[in-house]
């Protein structure tokens, strides 16, 4: 008996099949087959800019998951940087063979496939958000153009906070097409969201589909309408079986997700491991062309009523592959969720306009 291996053998046309689910970002450089292909006979290089707690957690996770043949570390503090690089190199006998290089000059990132930026100015007590943003823009002016020059074909993944605004800054300064500039966005927020729902229902978090979208911050939006568990819509069941799931309770859960990082920082002084795993999952989807869907910060112009003229980055579920952002999911949102998302976009757009880029 002949076994069917694809829907095309059943008469379905595979060309453009994903277009009903995903729409490309507003990009001056459309994806082509050559831009999506993985170079043959080439080693994979990942660079991490910023060797702080977050940067090193990302580097360590990437190293242990065997995602790269070479890892380049860049930081402004040479002694700390050399110490971190040596610490990883000394574990060579226990890890996959990976070349680790480091330096204070971004030239060490030359020919990277993926550049992850975690560097950012820390907020000074009493400092305004705008002043902090301006200092981060100044830092990015020193980093991003050099990275783009040394690795003109790289994917650029921004992790520094405020991640949505800084992803916009990186896009402007790099000159890269929007499909190749990605912010870590609400990928980790969504994981926290899934964890809370999974704990409540006593299931594995991997069986929960739940997204936080919009800003990675106070105005993020929990998409309750599309939550599913094991492929089954879950929100109506949750409300029917738990009368405590009223609007106030839902907002409380959203705030718990948003405040998750602050709780960790309050307890241990910083966050590191969860963001390390989150970014490594993004690196895997990108470099191994996994076509997985992640809520990441993308150019959101034209989505869900966000003005085409507003070049704003915020998180939406996006399909990731070797070419970067391969498409953004056309989510079916409630009117309330759309309103909240547009409000989040407006806040981010106003912040971007103050930067004068």
């Amino acid at each position: 008996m002949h076994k069917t291996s694809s829907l095309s053998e059943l008469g379905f046309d595979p060309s453009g099949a994903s277009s009903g689910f995903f729409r490309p970002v507003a990009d001056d450089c459309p994806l082509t087959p050559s831009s999506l292909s993985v170079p043959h006979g080439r080693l994979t290089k990942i660079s991490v800019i910023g060797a702080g707690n977050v940067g090193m957690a990302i580097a360590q996770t990437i190293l242990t998951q065997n995602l790269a043949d070479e890892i380049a570390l860049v930081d402004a503090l040479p002694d700390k940087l050399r110490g971190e690089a040596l610490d990883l190199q000394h574990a060579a006998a226990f890890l996959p063979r990976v070349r680790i290089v480091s330096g204070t000059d971004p030239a060490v990132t030359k020919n990277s496939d993926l550049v992850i930026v975690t560097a950012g100015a820390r907020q000074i007590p009493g400092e305004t958000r705008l002043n902090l943003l301006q200092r981060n823009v100044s830092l990015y002016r020193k980093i991003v153009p050099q990275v783009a020059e040394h690795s003109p074909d790289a994917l650029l993944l921004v992790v520094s906070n405020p991640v949505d605004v800084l992803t916009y800054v990186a896009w402007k300064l790099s000159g890269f097409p929007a499909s190749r500039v990605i912010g870590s966005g609400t990928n980790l927020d969504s994981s926290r969201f899934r964890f809370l729902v999974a704990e409540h229902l006593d299931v594995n978090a991997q069986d929960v589909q739940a997204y936080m979208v919009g800003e990675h911050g106070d105005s993020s939006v929990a998409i309750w309408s599309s939550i599913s568990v094991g492929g089954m819509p879950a929100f109506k069941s949750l409300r029917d079986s738990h009368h405590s799931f009223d609007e106030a309770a839902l907002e409380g859960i959203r705030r718990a997700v948003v405040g998750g990082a602050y709780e960790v920082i309050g307890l241990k002084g910083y966050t590191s491991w969860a963001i390390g795993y989150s970014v490594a999952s993004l690196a895997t989807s990108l470099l191994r062309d996994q076509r997985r869907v992640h809520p990441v910060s993308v150019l959101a112009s034209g989505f869900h009523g966000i003005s085409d003229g507003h070049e704003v980055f915020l998180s939406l579920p996006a399909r990731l592959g070797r070419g970067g952002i391969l498409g953004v999911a056309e989510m079916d949102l409630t009117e309330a969720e759309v309103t909240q998302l547009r409000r989040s976009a407006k806040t981010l757009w106003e912040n971007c306009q103050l930067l004068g880029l």
Side-chain angles (χ1 to χ4, degrees), residues 19-353:
S19 61
F21 296 92
F22 301 98
R23 181 154 59 95
V25 293
D27 214 329
D28 294 331
C29 183
L31 298 173
T32 62
S34 61
S35 70
L36 299 177
S37 63
V38 180
H40 292 287
R42 228 184 124 241
L43 300 181
T44 300
K45 180 174 181 177
I46 298 177
S47 293
V48 180
I49 313 291
N53 295 318
V54 170
M56 292 313 301
I58 291 170
Q60 189 268 348
T61 310
I62 286 172
L63 182 62
T64 56
Q65 293 188 6
N66 198 19
L67 297 179
D69 301 291
E70 180 175 347
I71 296 176
L73 304 174
V74 179
D75 197 89
L77 302 175
D79 289 343
K80 182 182 188 306
L81 179 62
R82 176 152 175 75
E84 295 286 8
L86 281 172
D87 207 7
L88 289 179
Q89 289 168 340
H90 292 169
F94 317 114
L95 295 167
R97 186 175 182 272
V98 178
R99 181 170 183 251
I100 299 173
V101 298
S102 63
T104 57
D105 188 339
V108 75
T109 67
K110 186 176 178 63
N111 294 327
S112 293
D113 296 282
L114 174 65
V115 178
I116 301 169
V117 185
T118 72
R122 291 190 177 183
Q123 191 163 14
I124 301 169
E127 183 178 29
T128 65
R129 179 183 175 88
L130 177 58
N131 191 62
L132 175 63
L133 272 175
Q134 294 287 9
R135 288 201 296 125
N136 273 312
V137 171
S138 297
L139 179 63
Y140 267 48
R141 285 188 188 278
K142 298 175 183 176
I143 296 172
V144 174
Q146 291 190 68
V147 165
E149 179 183 354
H150 292 302
S151 302
D153 298 318
L155 300 172
L156 190 56
L157 177 54
V158 178
V159 182
S160 319
N161 281 317
V163 68
D164 302 294
V165 177
L166 290 180
T167 305
Y168 165 82
V169 172
W171 174 55
K172 285 292 188 181
L173 295 177
S174 67
F176 285 2
S179 58
R180 288 201 283 124
V181 182
I182 305 139
S184 56
T186 58
N187 195 52
L188 179 52
D189 306 67
S190 296
S191 176
R192 291 180 178 128
F193 191 19
R194 292 167 67 184
F195 165 75
L196 288 175
V197 174
E199 284 290 288
H200 180 73
L201 296 177
D202 193 24
V203 298
N204 193 304
Q206 293 185 356
D207 293 317
V208 177
Q209 283 289 325
Y211 290 118
M212 300 287 292
V213 301
E215 179 195 16
H216 170 61
D218 295 340
S219 69
S220 62
V221 183
I223 306 301
W224 288 100
S225 62
S226 64
I227 285 183
S228 67
V229 178
M232 298 178 291
F235 185 50
K236 185 177 185 300
S237 296
L238 283 170
R239 279 207 144 164
D240 289 346
S241 60
H242 298 76
H243 297 297
S244 58
F245 271 80
D246 56 13
E247 292 302 322
L250 299 185
E251 175 60 14
I253 294 170
R254 188 196 73 84
R255 288 187 177 278
V257 172
V258 172
Y262 299 118
E263 182 181 6
V264 174
I265 291 169
L267 292 168
K268 61 177 274 189
Y270 56 91
T271 61
S272 56
W273 298 119
I275 187 62
Y277 282 105
S278 173
V279 172
S281 76
L282 298 177
T284 301
S285 292
L286 291 165
L287 295 180
R288 293 185 176 170
D289 202 33
Q290 293 290 296
R291 311 294 173 112
R292 289 191 61 192
V293 176
H294 295 266
V296 290
S297 193
V298 301
L299 181 61
S301 306
F303 288 95
H304 302 293
I306 298 170
S307 172
D308 289 330
H310 285 185
E311 295 176 331
V312 60
F313 279 73
L314 52 74
S315 286
L316 293 170
R319 185 171 52 139
L320 304 186
R322 193 60 186 81
I325 303 291
L326 305 183
V328 178
E330 298 273 24
M331 300 184 76
D332 187 12
L333 304 179
T334 67
E335 187 175 332
E337 289 166 346
V338 169
T339 299
Q340 293 169 36
L341 183 62
R342 291 175 184 169
R343 188 181 302 129
S344 187
K346 183 174 182 291
T347 299
L348 290 168
W349 171 246
E350 290 170 351
N351 284 329
C352 289
Q353 290 309 289

